[in-house]
Structure formats: structure tokens, C-alpha cells
């Protein structure tokens, strides 16, 4: 039997990461040392047989503390193949302080690293272990940040189309929903630039109120929008359901939801037409697959949020997959973080035929950019 021997982390700072804004957040890093940049935490689960599992997360220094002080001891000495047992032990460990939020980022990173390790122990790509459904997955180019000028927005969105993505996503709800005219103007400019055949998804990042979102949806319908993401506060399930009932545009949401329990409430109350679990938050591979199956039981499609490289394998094994998000600013960041990544061809993507996630950290980055 293989045993977990240790869990190690590297906190990586990319000082050149692009600063981007959406409707309700300036995605600038929060740091205690006032350094500006983007933080990523690499997580390595080492075994007594020399193999190690790898994953990564945002969450910065606080995530590292949670892993080392609160969760690591649960894994040490255990068989890394026992992912259900270990997930549940971690879940109960954080019961009082982490049923949603940061502790779940830590559980997610550890669970996904265990699945990577499982692939390496069993010598198979993760998507084969999960039970592959398709040979490749459709993707979309995502960005369209609210701090872009209209020219920058159009340039970025059309660049995805030029790279072969037939689908793009842009932000609306600018300035906490207070710039409605601009939202419309920006969407009109992108529709005009990409033409009628490209699918445009829009994302309000919680920026509108329900009545406002319903009013805006009537205008957005004229631009043939593919989905309306987080039209209102993620916790306002009633509002989401109201928007969903009021427009022909599907409501997409779920990036701020945690665990199968959270998704049960969201889906059963009609809050999501397209379900968007985030593997870095929902509880890793173990919980992401359960949420995908839950959505399937409601006959709803799944379109994961961010973390494209971690979602890729799960999506290969998901019959009700709609499309995988690839953020332009993350894509630029991949060579800095990873040794190599699979290429997206004409908006379709498939994993390397390597054990586990098939993802290795960039050792030069660990050496030169650890903080
Ligand atoms: Mg979003």
C-alpha cells in the first residue's frame, strides 16, 4: 500500500500578472506584504514510494496555513487512493469554520492533488479513471473585463475568435450595475465585431438587482446572448430563479457555491439553467463530479468556472458538459506556472495522455518566484 508521507506547498507570486476588474471586484491580489501581483499556491502530496500528487489554488498564504495547520495531519499515513474517506475526514475537520470559503479552497486543492496521485499510482490519465465520455471538449475564450476600454474589449474578444474559439465571454454589470448604458454599448460593440455566428456569453458577477437584471435581460436578448451569468448576488437564489423565469436567456451560476449541499439548494430552487461548479472551491474532483451528476439528474448542462487545466479531465468524463471556460489572462500565465500545457485547437481541447492531471509545475518559477 502507498502511504502519504508529507504535504508541501509553494506560494508563487507573478509580479507581471494583469490587473483586471469585473462588476463587483477589482481582482488585484490581497497581500500582507503589499507586493502587487498574482498569487498561486502549488500543492504537492508526497508518498513513501516516491510518487507525488500535484494541484494548485488561489487563496495565498491563508490557504497554506489551513493546509499545514488544519488539514495535512489527516492525510499523513493514509492510502491516497481512499479519496472518499479522506474528503469526508477533511469536511468534518472544518465543520465549525469552513463549510464554505477558504477552508474549502484548501480541501479542493488537496482532493485534486490526491486524484492526480491516484492517476500516477494507477498509471492512467485522470479522465480515463473518472470514465471518459468524449474525445475532446469545447471551450470558450473568456475575459472582457470592465476596466478595458471599448477598443481594448473588442480587441480582446476578437482575438479569441482569431484563435479559433467560436464562443467568447465578456463582463456586464459595470460599476455594481450602475453603468447600464455602457453595458449595452459594450455588448453591441462586441456583437458587431465578432459577427452573428459567434456565441457571446455575458457575466454580471453579481452586479445587478433582480428587477434590474430582468429589465437588462430584455435588451440583452436582442444581441442573441448565449447565457447570462451571475445576474444577481450568488446568494440570492430567489432572485436568480426570478431572472431565469423572466428571460429566454439561460441563467448560468455556481462559481460561488460550495459542495453538493449548496448546489442542491441552488438547483432545486430553479436558480441555475447552466450549472457552474468551480473545482478549486466546490471540494475538488470528488465533489465536482457529484455536482455534475446532480445537475445531470435535473437535466441541466454544466459549464465549469475558471481553473481550466484542472477541469479538463472532469469535463472529459461529463456527458452533460456544455463548454469549458478558458480565461485569456490565465492562458497567458500558464507557461509561467507549468512545464507544458495541452494546446486548444479551434475551440476544442483534450488532455495529454499522461498519468493523473498530466500537469507539472515550472521548476524555474518555483526557484525564482516563491515567496
Ligand atoms: Mg463568472
Amino acid at each position: 500500500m502507498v502511504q502519504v508521507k508529507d504535504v508541501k506547498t509553494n506560494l508563487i507570486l507573478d509580479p507581471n500578472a494583469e490587473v483586471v476588474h469585473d462588476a463587483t471586484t477589482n481582482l488585484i491580489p490581497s497581500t500582507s506584504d503589499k507586493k502587487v501581483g498574482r498569487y498561486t499556491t502549488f500543492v504537492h502530496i508526497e508518498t513513501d514510494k516516491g510518487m507525488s500528487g500535484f494541484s494548485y489554488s488561489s487563496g495565498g498564504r491563508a490557504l497554506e496555513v489551513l493546509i499545514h495547520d488544519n488539514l495535512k495531519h489527516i492525510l499523513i499515513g493514509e492510502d491516497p487512493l481512499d479519496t472518499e474517506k479522506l474528503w469526508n475526514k477533511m469536511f468534518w475537520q472544518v465543520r465549525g469554520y469552513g463549510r464554505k470559503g477558504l477552508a474549502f479552497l484548501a480541501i479542493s486543492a488537496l482532493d485534486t492533488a490526491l486524484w492526480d496521485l491516484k492517476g500516477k499510482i494507477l498509471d492512467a490519465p485522470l479522465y480515463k479513471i473518472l470514465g471518459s465520455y468524449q474525445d475532446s471538449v469545447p471551450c470558450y475564450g473568456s475575459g472582457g473585463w470592465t476596466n478595458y476600454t471599448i477598443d481594448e474589449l473588442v480587441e480582446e474578444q476578437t482575438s479569441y475568435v482569431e484563435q479559433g474559439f467560436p464562443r467568447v465571454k465578456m463582463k456586464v454589470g459595470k460599476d455594481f450595475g450602475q453603468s447600464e448604458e455602457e453595458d449595452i454599448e459594450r455588448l453591441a460593440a462586441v456583437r458587431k465585431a465578432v459577427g452573428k455566428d459567434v456565441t457571446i456569453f455575458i457575466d454580471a458577477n453579481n452586479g445587478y438587482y433582480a428587477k434590474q437584471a430582468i429589465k437588462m435581460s430584455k435588451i440583452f436578448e436582442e444581441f442573441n446572448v448565449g447565457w447570462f451569468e451571475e445576474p444577481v448576488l450568488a446568494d440570492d437564489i430567489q432572485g436568480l430563479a426570478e431572472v431565469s423565469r423572466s428571460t429566454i436567456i439561460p441563467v448560468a451560476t455556481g462559481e460561488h457555491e460550495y459542495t453538493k449541499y449548496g448546489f442542491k439548494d441552488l438547483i432545486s430552487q430553479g436558480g441555475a439553467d447552466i450549472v457552474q461548479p468551480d473545482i478549486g472551491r466546490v471540494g475538488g474532483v470528488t465533489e465536482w463530479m457529484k455536482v455534475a451528476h446532480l445537475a445531470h439528474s435535473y437535466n441541466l448542462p454544466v459549464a465549469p468556472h475558471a481553473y481550466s487545466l484542472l477541469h479538463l479531465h472532469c469535463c472529459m468524463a461529463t456527458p452533460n458538459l456544455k463548454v469549458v471556460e478558458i480565461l485569456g489572462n490565465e492562458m497567458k500565465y500558464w507557461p509561467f506556472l507549468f512545464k507544458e500545457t495541452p494546446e486548444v485547437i479551434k475551440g476544442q481541447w483534450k488532455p495529454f495522455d499522461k498519468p493523473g492531471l498530466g500537469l507539472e509545475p515550472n521548476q524555474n518559477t518555483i526557484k525564482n518566484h516563491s515567496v
Side-chain angles (χ1 to χ4, degrees):
M1 181 186 102
V2 181
Q3 277 189 349
V4 174
K5 197 177 77 180
D6 202 0
V7 178
K8 292 189 175 148
T9 54
N10 316 107
L11 184 60
I12 306 293
L13 175 67
D14 179 0
N16 301 314
E18 181 188 359
V19 171
V20 291
H21 300 180
D22 64 29
T24 52
T25 295
N26 299 345
L27 296 159
I28 359 179
S30 51
T31 87
S32 52
D33 50 14
K34 305 250 183 341
K35 278 187 184 159
V36 172
R38 173 171 169 155
Y39 282 89
T40 300
T41 310
F42 287 158
V43 177
H44 315 267
I45 300 182
E46 297 181 349
T47 66
D48 59 347
K49 302 283 192 292
M51 274 173 284
S52 75
F54 170 70
S55 187
Y56 66 100
S57 178
S58 57
R61 211 181 301 276
L63 181 104
E64 282 195 302
V65 172
L66 276 161
I67 287 175
H68 292 293
D69 292 0
N70 301 54
L71 294 167
K72 179 159 95 175
H73 71 276
I74 291 171
L75 307 186
I76 306 273
E78 295 285 345
D79 182 343
L81 296 178
D82 295 346
T83 41
E84 278 295 335
K85 173 178 153 188
L86 297 174
W87 192 96
N88 278 278
K89 278 187 151 186
M90 291 193 285
F91 173 79
W92 289 109
Q93 176 69 40
V94 306
R95 185 191 68 188
Y97 57 86
R99 299 165 71 80
K100 298 190 177 195
L102 194 55
F104 249 84
L105 270 68
I107 291 178
S108 297
L110 291 169
D111 179 81
T112 300
L114 285 171
W115 278 93
D116 178 50
L117 184 51
K118 189 182 289 210
K120 288 167 182 164
I121 292 168
L122 302 177
D123 194 26
L126 178 54
Y127 74 98
K128 289 287 184 186
I129 292 172
L130 293 171
S132 188
Y133 174 76
Q134 46 211 341
D135 298 326
S136 70
V137 292
C139 308
Y140 67 96
S142 183
W145 305 97
T146 57
N147 58 321
Y148 289 174
T149 63
I150 284 204
D151 287 347
E152 288 167 344
L153 171 72
V154 166
E155 193 191 326
E156 184 232 20
Q157 298 278 293
T158 51
S159 77
Y160 297 130
V161 179
E162 282 154 17
Q163 288 170 61
F165 289 100
R167 313 159 203 95
V168 296
K169 187 167 86 188
M170 60 170 286
K171 302 299 188 185
V172 293
K174 194 169 182 286
D175 308 316
F176 281 85
Q178 292 179 72
S179 303
E180 295 177 0
E181 287 303 317
E182 251 190 278
D183 290 338
I184 297 160
E185 201 187 330
R186 291 164 74 86
L187 173 58
V190 171
R191 174 51 82 205
K192 191 172 169 221
V194 300
K196 67 174 176 35
D197 295 332
V198 169
T199 301
I200 302 175
F201 305 122
I202 53 169
D203 184 357
N205 291 93
N206 303 238
Y208 298 125
Y209 292 102
K211 283 284 180 197
Q212 184 188 18
I214 290 166
K215 180 188 79 179
M216 294 301 283
S217 71
K218 299 296 162 200
I219 302 163
F220 295 149
E221 283 175 7
E222 291 165 28
F223 296 96
N224 191 23
V225 163
W227 76 50
F228 191 178
E229 182 169 326
E230 291 198 308
V232 300
L233 181 69
D235 304 278
D236 180 9
I237 295 179
Q238 208 181 322
L240 289 163
E242 236 179 279
V243 178
S244 167
R245 284 191 298 270
S246 306
T247 169
I248 56 166
I249 307 173
V251 167
T253 190
E255 68 180 76
H256 292 107
E257 198 47 81
Y258 295 80
T259 76
K260 54 190 162 293
Y261 307 115
F263 276 92
K264 182 193 73 178
D265 291 343
L266 176 65
I267 294 172
S268 66
Q269 292 174 47
D273 300 308
I274 293 165
V275 182
Q276 298 185 295
D278 178 324
I279 198 167
R281 292 175 183 159
V282 74
V285 173
T286 298
E287 204 69 349
W288 194 96
M289 292 304 297
K290 289 179 183 176
V291 168
H293 296 157
L294 176 69
H296 203 179
S297 77
Y298 279 87
N299 198 26
L300 294 176
V302 164
H305 168 253
Y307 285 106
S308 328
L309 289 159
L310 299 183
H311 283 125
L312 178 55
H313 287 263
C314 294
C315 290
M316 290 285 287
T318 299
N320 52 323
L321 175 77
K322 183 171 175 67
V323 68
V324 178
E325 174 169 38
I326 299 187
L327 286 144
N329 63 333
E330 273 192 18
M331 215 178 347
K332 274 188 241 161
Y333 195 50
W334 289 346
F336 175 77
L337 289 179
F338 309 110
K339 198 172 151 193
E340 54 174 346
T341 50
E343 197 189 346
V344 182
I345 299 166
K346 290 185 180 159
Q348 289 288 132
W349 209 23
K350 59 180 174 186
F352 289 133
D353 196 19
K354 290 179 181 175
L357 291 165
L359 202 57
E360 279 179 61
N362 181 336
Q363 292 298 337
N364 283 331
T365 296
I366 293 182
K367 206 168 95 194
N368 300 319
H369 295 277
S370 291
V371 290

